[in-house]
Amino acid sequence: MEKIRIAVQKSGRLSEDSLSLLRECGIKFSNGMRKLKSEAANFPIEFLFLRDDDIPGYVEDGVADIGIVGENVAVEKGREVTIAKRLGFSKCRLSLAVAKNAQYNSLEDLEGGNIATSYPVILGQYLKEKGVKATIHEISGSVEIAPSIGLAEAICDIVSSGSTLFMNGLKEVETIFRSEAVLIKGTALSAEKLEILDRLLFRIDAVQRGKNNKYILLNAPEDQLQEIIRILPGMRSPTVLPLAEKGWNSVHSVIQEEEFWEVIDQLKAAGAEGILVVPIEKMIL
């Protein structure tokens, strides 16, 4: 039976989150220390553990069929791969930063200046779109030191919390690209491998929906039932079960995570009691 081969970063937070997602999809595999290859015991997939910068190239060349990388890496490398799925974790941004004491009013302040970065392609495209001309100095690692040693007036680097910039005497001034983990695929997958990929994407969708929704149970008085049902549309409509106590019903539904607290406030105002919220492991439509 044919298998699909996936490239995953061999270490780091992105690797941990990627492997955690695949395990939540019910895929069993081993990834011991220094292990560069592994096969799943219960799904037709083989793992390659690689440097993140190498993953787009391996997928383009067909050594790996699919891979999980940061979108910033996929775009920067410019390989012939497509994004099959946005995964919603390892979110960060690529931003411009200058010295804390530097005067900065707009991007035009960098006209004719020097910017140090490990992402010359993304930065170059951004500057071109904005009509700003600056010299890009490509360096790998320790980009934050560039202004203090006189190499550049600004840097362009990945930012999560901003603490690294702060510790190096820098301030963030422009966000030029927002990134998250993405599942990329090659352009020449066989029909059988595409079918395996579809099965994997189905599992990922179920896990993601589970994370993005909450299962809710509550007690609703009969005279407020219709109002509570209006607040809780659910996947189709809420489940309503009569309680032993006359005049009361148990209502079961699903709430999207982003709407959760607003909906809870509305339910309480409508007379709902005994509200119980349960996490959803997987959700299949």
Side-chain angles (χ1 to χ4, degrees), residues 194-228:
L194 285 172
E195 189 273 332
I196 297 170
L197 175 58
D198 284 343
R199 288 166 56 194
L200 177 61
L201 292 174
F202 175 81
R203 295 189 185 197
I204 292 174
D205 285 341
V207 171
Q208 287 184 328
R209 280 193 293 266
K211 290 180 182 294
N212 294 333
N213 291 274
K214 301 290 186 185
Y215 189 77
I216 185 168
L217 304 87
L218 58 89
N219 296 331
E222 188 70 43
D223 59 354
Q224 289 295 106
L225 181 59
Q226 293 306 312
E227 173 61 13
I228 288 173

Side-chain angles (χ1 to χ4, degrees), residues 124-263:
Q125 290 173 346
Y126 180 79
L127 293 177
K128 184 178 180 180
E129 289 171 3
K130 298 298 182 180
V132 173
K133 293 182 179 179
T135 300
I136 297 174
H137 295 272
E138 182 179 359
I139 58 178
S140 58
S142 303
V143 175
E144 297 87 358
I145 200 173
S148 65
I149 63 175
L151 177 64
E153 294 79 42
I155 70 163
C156 179
D157 202 14
I158 290 295
V159 178
S160 293
S161 66
S163 60
T164 302
L165 294 179
F166 180 80
M167 289 187 293
N168 285 278
L170 302 172
K171 61 182 179 182
E172 186 177 359
V173 292
E174 302 278 350
T175 296
I176 73 168
F177 187 84
R178 294 192 180 275
S179 178
E180 64 182 280
V182 293
L183 179 69
I184 58 173
K185 67 175 182 177
T187 57
L189 270 64
S190 67
E192 189 172 356
K193 287 187 176 182
L194 285 172
E195 189 273 332
I196 297 170
L197 175 58
D198 284 343
R199 288 166 56 194
L200 177 61
L201 292 174
F202 175 81
R203 295 189 185 197
I204 292 174
D205 285 341
V207 171
Q208 287 184 328
R209 280 193 293 266
K211 290 180 182 294
N212 294 333
N213 291 274
K214 301 290 186 185
Y215 189 77
I216 185 168
L217 304 87
L218 58 89
N219 296 331
E222 188 70 43
D223 59 354
Q224 289 295 106
L225 181 59
Q226 293 306 312
E227 173 61 13
I228 288 173
I229 289 175
R230 185 192 66 79
I231 297 168
L232 279 175
M235 294 170 65
R236 291 200 176 178
S237 63
T239 299
V240 179
L241 301 171
L243 294 178
E245 183 178 346
K246 191 174 181 180
W248 284 85
N249 294 277
S250 175
V251 181
H252 300 212
S253 190
V254 173
I255 306 178
Q256 291 186 7
E257 179 73 40
E258 59 188 23
E259 302 173 350
F260 178 75
W261 289 110
E262 181 181 347
V263 171

